Amino acid sequence: MKYLKIALIVFFALIVNQNVFAQVDTVQVLSPKQFLRVAKLNPQAVVIDVRLKKDFKKGHIDGAMLAETSDKLYQIIDSLGERKTYLLYCKYGERSIAAGKMLFKKYKIKVCSLEDGLDYWKELKMEIVK
């Protein structure tokens, strides 16, 4: 009986882990260095800031496009196409992951998100422009 309980717990833990990974595997989270490397080396890469316009004006990653609403984000994807590499970021990393999941749901494309957002980028003294 004891082994049956342990087996059931392990079984349910595996199911829960699969569901968690299934939800996150649509958005690849990149460290700031990886994010920058992809942005610089991939000619198909498009950097998109999903913060508000007022925050964008205070500083953003060089070359980033602003998409403060989901409608604007969809417009960008519709105009540039689904075959690009989309690199999203926000202040902390949560909004960009949510936006990436929305893009996956609508277009079935995978996108990348900046790990811990622009605050972590700045903490590492990486370049921003105003």
Side-chain angles (χ1 to χ4, degrees), residues 40 49 51 55-65 89 118 121-122 126-130:
K40 297 278 186 199
D49 187 324
R51 298 175 303 147
D55 297 321
F56 183 83
K57 287 182 174 183
K58 291 177 185 176
H60 56 273
I61 294 174
D62 191 27
M65 301 175 76
Y89 72 92
L118 194 63
W121 180 277
K122 290 192 260 184
M126 296 182 76
E127 185 178 337
I128 61 168
V129 295
K130 293 183 182 183

PDB file of all heavy atoms in Angstrom, residues 40 49 51 55-65 89 118 121-122 126-130:
ATOM      1  N   LYS A  40      21.851  40.654 -32.303  1.00  0.00           N
ATOM      2  CA  LYS A  40      22.952  41.159 -33.141  1.00  0.00           C
ATOM      3  C   LYS A  40      23.304  40.222 -34.302  1.00  0.00           C
ATOM      4  O   LYS A  40      23.633  40.687 -35.391  1.00  0.00           O
ATOM      5  CB  LYS A  40      24.213  41.374 -32.293  1.00  0.00           C
ATOM      6  CG  LYS A  40      24.078  42.414 -31.219  1.00  0.00           C
ATOM      7  CD  LYS A  40      24.266  43.788 -31.752  1.00  0.00           C
ATOM      8  CE  LYS A  40      24.276  44.789 -30.606  1.00  0.00           C
ATOM      9  NZ  LYS A  40      24.013  46.115 -31.019  1.00  0.00           N
ATOM     10  N   ASP A  49       9.610  45.898 -27.507  1.00  0.00           N
ATOM     11  CA  ASP A  49       9.392  46.346 -26.133  1.00  0.00           C
ATOM     12  C   ASP A  49       7.885  46.353 -25.883  1.00  0.00           C
ATOM     13  O   ASP A  49       7.148  47.032 -26.589  1.00  0.00           O
ATOM     14  CB  ASP A  49       9.974  47.755 -25.984  1.00  0.00           C
ATOM     15  CG  ASP A  49       9.969  48.276 -24.562  1.00  0.00           C
ATOM     16  OD1 ASP A  49       9.011  47.990 -23.812  1.00  0.00           O
ATOM     17  OD2 ASP A  49      10.908  49.004 -24.211  1.00  0.00           O
ATOM     18  N   ARG A  51       6.410  47.358 -23.054  1.00  0.00           N
ATOM     19  CA  ARG A  51       6.075  48.251 -21.949  1.00  0.00           C
ATOM     20  C   ARG A  51       5.233  49.418 -22.466  1.00  0.00           C
ATOM     21  O   ARG A  51       4.904  49.487 -23.647  1.00  0.00           O
ATOM     22  CB  ARG A  51       7.358  48.790 -21.295  1.00  0.00           C
ATOM     23  CG  ARG A  51       8.238  47.697 -20.694  1.00  0.00           C
ATOM     24  CD  ARG A  51       9.545  48.227 -20.164  1.00  0.00           C
ATOM     25  NE  ARG A  51      10.275  48.912 -21.230  1.00  0.00           N
ATOM     26  CZ  ARG A  51      11.065  49.967 -21.046  1.00  0.00           C
ATOM     27  NH1 ARG A  51      11.251  50.461 -19.840  1.00  0.00           N
ATOM     28  NH2 ARG A  51      11.690  50.521 -22.065  1.00  0.00           N
ATOM     29  N   ASP A  55       7.501  54.591 -20.536  1.00  0.00           N
ATOM     30  CA  ASP A  55       8.677  53.848 -20.073  1.00  0.00           C
ATOM     31  C   ASP A  55       9.679  53.649 -21.206  1.00  0.00           C
ATOM     32  O   ASP A  55      10.887  53.727 -20.994  1.00  0.00           O
ATOM     33  CB  ASP A  55       8.248  52.488 -19.510  1.00  0.00           C
ATOM     34  CG  ASP A  55       7.352  52.632 -18.290  1.00  0.00           C
ATOM     35  OD1 ASP A  55       7.617  53.526 -17.463  1.00  0.00           O
ATOM     36  OD2 ASP A  55       6.383  51.855 -18.166  1.00  0.00           O
ATOM     37  N   PHE A  56       9.160  53.408 -22.409  1.00  0.00           N
ATOM     38  CA  PHE A  56       9.999  53.257 -23.593  1.00  0.00           C
ATOM     39  C   PHE A  56      10.840  54.512 -23.814  1.00  0.00           C
ATOM     40  O   PHE A  56      12.032  54.437 -24.117  1.00  0.00           O
ATOM     41  CB  PHE A  56       9.104  52.975 -24.808  1.00  0.00           C
ATOM     42  CG  PHE A  56       9.845  52.721 -26.093  1.00  0.00           C
ATOM     43  CD1 PHE A  56      10.359  51.470 -26.379  1.00  0.00           C
ATOM     44  CD2 PHE A  56      10.008  53.730 -27.028  1.00  0.00           C
ATOM     45  CE1 PHE A  56      11.025  51.219 -27.574  1.00  0.00           C
ATOM     46  CE2 PHE A  56      10.671  53.495 -28.231  1.00  0.00           C
ATOM     47  CZ  PHE A  56      11.180  52.236 -28.501  1.00  0.00           C
ATOM     48  N   LYS A  57      10.224  55.678 -23.650  1.00  0.00           N
ATOM     49  CA  LYS A  57      10.925  56.958 -23.850  1.00  0.00           C
ATOM     50  C   LYS A  57      12.029  57.182 -22.825  1.00  0.00           C
ATOM     51  O   LYS A  57      13.001  57.867 -23.106  1.00  0.00           O
ATOM     52  CB  LYS A  57       9.936  58.120 -23.800  1.00  0.00           C
ATOM     53  CG  LYS A  57       9.066  58.222 -25.022  1.00  0.00           C
ATOM     54  CD  LYS A  57       8.152  59.435 -24.925  1.00  0.00           C
ATOM     55  CE  LYS A  57       7.371  59.635 -26.194  1.00  0.00           C
ATOM     56  NZ  LYS A  57       6.529  60.844 -26.137  1.00  0.00           N
ATOM     57  N   LYS A  58      11.896  56.589 -21.650  1.00  0.00           N
ATOM     58  CA  LYS A  58      12.917  56.734 -20.606  1.00  0.00           C
ATOM     59  C   LYS A  58      14.169  55.914 -20.917  1.00  0.00           C
ATOM     60  O   LYS A  58      15.230  56.186 -20.378  1.00  0.00           O
ATOM     61  CB  LYS A  58      12.360  56.309 -19.243  1.00  0.00           C
ATOM     62  CG  LYS A  58      11.311  57.246 -18.703  1.00  0.00           C
ATOM     63  CD  LYS A  58      10.766  56.716 -17.394  1.00  0.00           C
ATOM     64  CE  LYS A  58       9.628  57.572 -16.889  1.00  0.00           C
ATOM     65  NZ  LYS A  58       9.022  57.005 -15.666  1.00  0.00           N
ATOM     66  N   GLY A  59      14.021  54.917 -21.763  1.00  0.00           N
ATOM     67  CA  GLY A  59      15.153  54.081 -22.149  1.00  0.00           C
ATOM     68  C   GLY A  59      14.691  52.731 -22.637  1.00  0.00           C
ATOM     69  O   GLY A  59      13.763  52.154 -22.074  1.00  0.00           O
ATOM     70  N   HIS A  60      15.340  52.256 -23.707  1.00  0.00           N
ATOM     71  CA  HIS A  60      14.985  50.964 -24.296  1.00  0.00           C
ATOM     72  C   HIS A  60      16.206  50.357 -24.979  1.00  0.00           C
ATOM     73  O   HIS A  60      17.217  51.021 -25.157  1.00  0.00           O
ATOM     74  CB  HIS A  60      13.827  51.120 -25.304  1.00  0.00           C
ATOM     75  CG  HIS A  60      14.121  52.113 -26.386  1.00  0.00           C
ATOM     76  ND1 HIS A  60      13.862  53.457 -26.239  1.00  0.00           N
ATOM     77  CD2 HIS A  60      14.660  51.968 -27.610  1.00  0.00           C
ATOM     78  CE1 HIS A  60      14.232  54.093 -27.348  1.00  0.00           C
ATOM     79  NE2 HIS A  60      14.719  53.206 -28.187  1.00  0.00           N
ATOM     80  N   ILE A  61      16.075  49.117 -25.358  1.00  0.00           N
ATOM     81  CA  ILE A  61      17.154  48.432 -26.066  1.00  0.00           C
ATOM     82  C   ILE A  61      17.228  49.008 -27.478  1.00  0.00           C
ATOM     83  O   ILE A  61      16.200  49.224 -28.126  1.00  0.00           O
ATOM     84  CB  ILE A  61      16.912  46.907 -26.075  1.00  0.00           C
ATOM     85  CG1 ILE A  61      16.997  46.374 -24.641  1.00  0.00           C
ATOM     86  CG2 ILE A  61      17.925  46.204 -26.975  1.00  0.00           C
ATOM     87  CD1 ILE A  61      16.627  44.910 -24.495  1.00  0.00           C
ATOM     88  N   ASP A  62      18.430  49.255 -27.925  1.00  0.00           N
ATOM     89  CA  ASP A  62      18.653  49.851 -29.247  1.00  0.00           C
ATOM     90  C   ASP A  62      17.953  49.041 -30.345  1.00  0.00           C
ATOM     91  O   ASP A  62      18.093  47.822 -30.412  1.00  0.00           O
ATOM     92  CB  ASP A  62      20.154  49.928 -29.533  1.00  0.00           C
ATOM     93  CG  ASP A  62      20.471  50.764 -30.756  1.00  0.00           C
ATOM     94  OD1 ASP A  62      19.689  51.670 -31.097  1.00  0.00           O
ATOM     95  OD2 ASP A  62      21.527  50.501 -31.374  1.00  0.00           O
ATOM     96  N   GLY A  63      17.191  49.738 -31.176  1.00  0.00           N
ATOM     97  CA  GLY A  63      16.510  49.103 -32.303  1.00  0.00           C
ATOM     98  C   GLY A  63      15.157  48.501 -31.976  1.00  0.00           C
ATOM     99  O   GLY A  63      14.495  47.958 -32.856  1.00  0.00           O
ATOM    100  N   ALA A  64      14.741  48.598 -30.717  1.00  0.00           N
ATOM    101  CA  ALA A  64      13.473  47.988 -30.314  1.00  0.00           C
ATOM    102  C   ALA A  64      12.274  48.746 -30.882  1.00  0.00           C
ATOM    103  O   ALA A  64      12.292  49.969 -31.003  1.00  0.00           O
ATOM    104  CB  ALA A  64      13.360  47.947 -28.794  1.00  0.00           C
ATOM    105  N   MET A  65      11.258  47.977 -31.227  1.00  0.00           N
ATOM    106  CA  MET A  65       9.977  48.539 -31.638  1.00  0.00           C
ATOM    107  C   MET A  65       9.071  48.531 -30.408  1.00  0.00           C
ATOM    108  O   MET A  65       9.204  47.662 -29.545  1.00  0.00           O
ATOM    109  CB  MET A  65       9.337  47.681 -32.732  1.00  0.00           C
ATOM    110  CG  MET A  65      10.201  47.551 -33.976  1.00  0.00           C
ATOM    111  SD  MET A  65       9.464  46.424 -35.183  1.00  0.00           S
ATOM    112  CE  MET A  65       8.187  47.478 -35.846  1.00  0.00           C
ATOM    113  N   TYR A  89      10.614  41.983 -24.648  1.00  0.00           N
ATOM    114  CA  TYR A  89      11.039  42.297 -23.287  1.00  0.00           C
ATOM    115  C   TYR A  89      10.083  43.310 -22.665  1.00  0.00           C
ATOM    116  O   TYR A  89       9.343  44.007 -23.355  1.00  0.00           O
ATOM    117  CB  TYR A  89      12.490  42.801 -23.227  1.00  0.00           C
ATOM    118  CG  TYR A  89      12.697  44.192 -23.772  1.00  0.00           C
ATOM    119  CD1 TYR A  89      12.628  45.306 -22.937  1.00  0.00           C
ATOM    120  CD2 TYR A  89      12.970  44.406 -25.118  1.00  0.00           C
ATOM    121  CE1 TYR A  89      12.835  46.591 -23.435  1.00  0.00           C
ATOM    122  CE2 TYR A  89      13.171  45.675 -25.616  1.00  0.00           C
ATOM    123  CZ  TYR A  89      13.100  46.762 -24.771  1.00  0.00           C
ATOM    124  OH  TYR A  89      13.295  48.034 -25.255  1.00  0.00           O
ATOM    125  N   LEU A 118      13.993  44.298 -18.523  1.00  0.00           N
ATOM    126  CA  LEU A 118      14.937  45.396 -18.721  1.00  0.00           C
ATOM    127  C   LEU A 118      15.623  45.816 -17.423  1.00  0.00           C
ATOM    128  O   LEU A 118      16.759  46.293 -17.452  1.00  0.00           O
ATOM    129  CB  LEU A 118      14.230  46.596 -19.367  1.00  0.00           C
ATOM    130  CG  LEU A 118      15.141  47.672 -19.928  1.00  0.00           C
ATOM    131  CD1 LEU A 118      16.012  47.123 -21.063  1.00  0.00           C
ATOM    132  CD2 LEU A 118      14.341  48.859 -20.425  1.00  0.00           C
ATOM    133  N   TRP A 121      18.624  43.740 -17.251  1.00  0.00           N
ATOM    134  CA  TRP A 121      19.506  44.223 -18.331  1.00  0.00           C
ATOM    135  C   TRP A 121      20.308  45.433 -17.829  1.00  0.00           C
ATOM    136  O   TRP A 121      21.522  45.493 -17.986  1.00  0.00           O
ATOM    137  CB  TRP A 121      18.634  44.597 -19.525  1.00  0.00           C
ATOM    138  CG  TRP A 121      19.307  45.110 -20.743  1.00  0.00           C
ATOM    139  CD1 TRP A 121      19.707  46.402 -20.977  1.00  0.00           C
ATOM    140  CD2 TRP A 121      19.628  44.389 -21.933  1.00  0.00           C
ATOM    141  NE1 TRP A 121      20.242  46.517 -22.234  1.00  0.00           N
ATOM    142  CE2 TRP A 121      20.205  45.290 -22.845  1.00  0.00           C
ATOM    143  CE3 TRP A 121      19.464  43.067 -22.323  1.00  0.00           C
ATOM    144  CZ2 TRP A 121      20.628  44.912 -24.108  1.00  0.00           C
ATOM    145  CZ3 TRP A 121      19.881  42.681 -23.578  1.00  0.00           C
ATOM    146  CH2 TRP A 121      20.460  43.605 -24.465  1.00  0.00           C
ATOM    147  N   LYS A 122      19.600  46.390 -17.230  1.00  0.00           N
ATOM    148  CA  LYS A 122      20.258  47.606 -16.715  1.00  0.00           C
ATOM    149  C   LYS A 122      21.166  47.287 -15.527  1.00  0.00           C
ATOM    150  O   LYS A 122      22.230  47.886 -15.382  1.00  0.00           O
ATOM    151  CB  LYS A 122      19.217  48.645 -16.317  1.00  0.00           C
ATOM    152  CG  LYS A 122      18.497  49.249 -17.494  1.00  0.00           C
ATOM    153  CD  LYS A 122      17.689  50.464 -17.088  1.00  0.00           C
ATOM    154  CE  LYS A 122      16.256  50.144 -16.907  1.00  0.00           C
ATOM    155  NZ  LYS A 122      15.418  51.302 -16.605  1.00  0.00           N
ATOM    156  N   MET A 126      24.128  46.830 -19.179  1.00  0.00           N
ATOM    157  CA  MET A 126      24.054  46.670 -20.644  1.00  0.00           C
ATOM    158  C   MET A 126      23.413  47.924 -21.211  1.00  0.00           C
ATOM    159  O   MET A 126      22.627  48.592 -20.560  1.00  0.00           O
ATOM    160  CB  MET A 126      23.300  45.396 -20.980  1.00  0.00           C
ATOM    161  CG  MET A 126      24.055  44.156 -20.466  1.00  0.00           C
ATOM    162  SD  MET A 126      23.293  42.602 -20.854  1.00  0.00           S
ATOM    163  CE  MET A 126      23.704  42.455 -22.580  1.00  0.00           C
ATOM    164  N   GLU A 127      23.742  48.210 -22.446  1.00  0.00           N
ATOM    165  CA  GLU A 127      23.395  49.487 -23.074  1.00  0.00           C
ATOM    166  C   GLU A 127      21.897  49.642 -23.355  1.00  0.00           C
ATOM    167  O   GLU A 127      21.236  48.718 -23.802  1.00  0.00           O
ATOM    168  CB  GLU A 127      24.157  49.614 -24.392  1.00  0.00           C
ATOM    169  CG  GLU A 127      23.978  50.948 -25.071  1.00  0.00           C
ATOM    170  CD  GLU A 127      24.771  51.049 -26.338  1.00  0.00           C
ATOM    171  OE1 GLU A 127      25.769  50.312 -26.502  1.00  0.00           O
ATOM    172  OE2 GLU A 127      24.393  51.859 -27.183  1.00  0.00           O
ATOM    173  N   ILE A 128      21.397  50.843 -23.054  1.00  0.00           N
ATOM    174  CA  ILE A 128      20.051  51.247 -23.452  1.00  0.00           C
ATOM    175  C   ILE A 128      20.151  52.614 -24.132  1.00  0.00           C
ATOM    176  O   ILE A 128      21.144  53.327 -23.942  1.00  0.00           O
ATOM    177  CB  ILE A 128      19.050  51.314 -22.278  1.00  0.00           C
ATOM    178  CG1 ILE A 128      19.491  52.331 -21.224  1.00  0.00           C
ATOM    179  CG2 ILE A 128      18.852  49.944 -21.652  1.00  0.00           C
ATOM    180  CD1 ILE A 128      18.416  52.650 -20.217  1.00  0.00           C
ATOM    181  N   VAL A 129      19.157  52.922 -24.929  1.00  0.00           N
ATOM    182  CA  VAL A 129      19.129  54.227 -25.594  1.00  0.00           C
ATOM    183  C   VAL A 129      17.866  54.963 -25.189  1.00  0.00           C
ATOM    184  O   VAL A 129      16.882  54.368 -24.771  1.00  0.00           O
ATOM    185  CB  VAL A 129      19.198  54.096 -27.143  1.00  0.00           C
ATOM    186  CG1 VAL A 129      20.509  53.507 -27.571  1.00  0.00           C
ATOM    187  CG2 VAL A 129      18.039  53.282 -27.668  1.00  0.00           C
ATOM    188  N   LYS A 130      17.923  56.284 -25.319  1.00  0.00           N
ATOM    189  CA  LYS A 130      16.756  57.121 -24.961  1.00  0.00           C
ATOM    190  C   LYS A 130      16.262  57.853 -26.171  1.00  0.00           C
ATOM    191  O   LYS A 130      16.927  58.077 -27.115  1.00  0.00           O
ATOM    192  CB  LYS A 130      17.115  58.091 -23.857  1.00  0.00           C
ATOM    193  CG  LYS A 130      17.411  57.376 -22.565  1.00  0.00           C
ATOM    194  CD  LYS A 130      17.705  58.343 -21.460  1.00  0.00           C
ATOM    195  CE  LYS A 130      18.031  57.555 -20.198  1.00  0.00           C
ATOM    196  NZ  LYS A 130      18.264  58.364 -19.067  1.00  0.00           N
TER     197      LYS A 130
END
